[in-house]
Amino acid sequence: MTTLDRCLYLMGLNLSHRQIAHELGLNEDDAQNMTRSLRQGVVEASITPPLAGTVEIDEVYLVAGHKGQSDLVKKNLGLAADDV
C-alpha cells in the first residue's frame, strides 16, 4: 500500500493533519499538502450530474429560542401572542 493510499484511508477515518502526519511519519506541512492534493483530485474527478425537469429543493429554518424570553421568539417569527 502506497503512502497516498494510506493517507486517503486515514482521511476517510476523519483524522487531523497532525494524526495523519504521525501515522505516516511525515511532518505536518507535508501531510496537509498531501491531503489538499488528494481532496482536489477527488473534486476534479467527480462528475456533477445535470439537472433536468422539475427539481425540488427544501429549506428549513430552526429557531432554538431565547431562554426565558419567549416574547422575542414570537416577535422574530412574526407570530402574535395568541398564535402560539
Side-chain angles (χ1 to χ4, degrees):
M1 186 181 263
T2 68
T3 303
L4 285 175
D5 292 334
R6 291 178 22 209
C7 182
L8 193 57
Y9 174 77
L10 295 172
M11 288 171 61
L13 297 177
N14 204 25
L15 297 183
S16 69
H17 293 125
R18 177 176 288 158
Q19 291 168 315
I20 291 173
H22 177 74
E23 289 292 324
L24 299 178
L26 303 171
N27 71 37
E28 289 180 39
D29 291 336
D30 290 340
Q32 184 174 4
N33 290 334
M34 187 180 296
T35 57
R36 181 183 301 127
S37 174
L38 287 169
R39 282 190 192 100
Q40 186 62 34
V42 168
V43 169
E44 289 174 1
S46 66
I47 300 170
T48 304
L51 301 177
T54 304
V55 177
E56 181 179 339
I57 299 174
D58 294 327
E59 194 168 318
V60 176
Y61 292 95
L62 299 176
V63 178
H66 300 280
K67 194 173 197 175
Q69 300 177 356
S70 61
D71 290 337
L72 286 175
V73 174
K74 293 173 192 172
K75 179 182 173 187
N76 288 339
L77 292 176
L79 299 174
D82 297 336
D83 292 341
V84 178

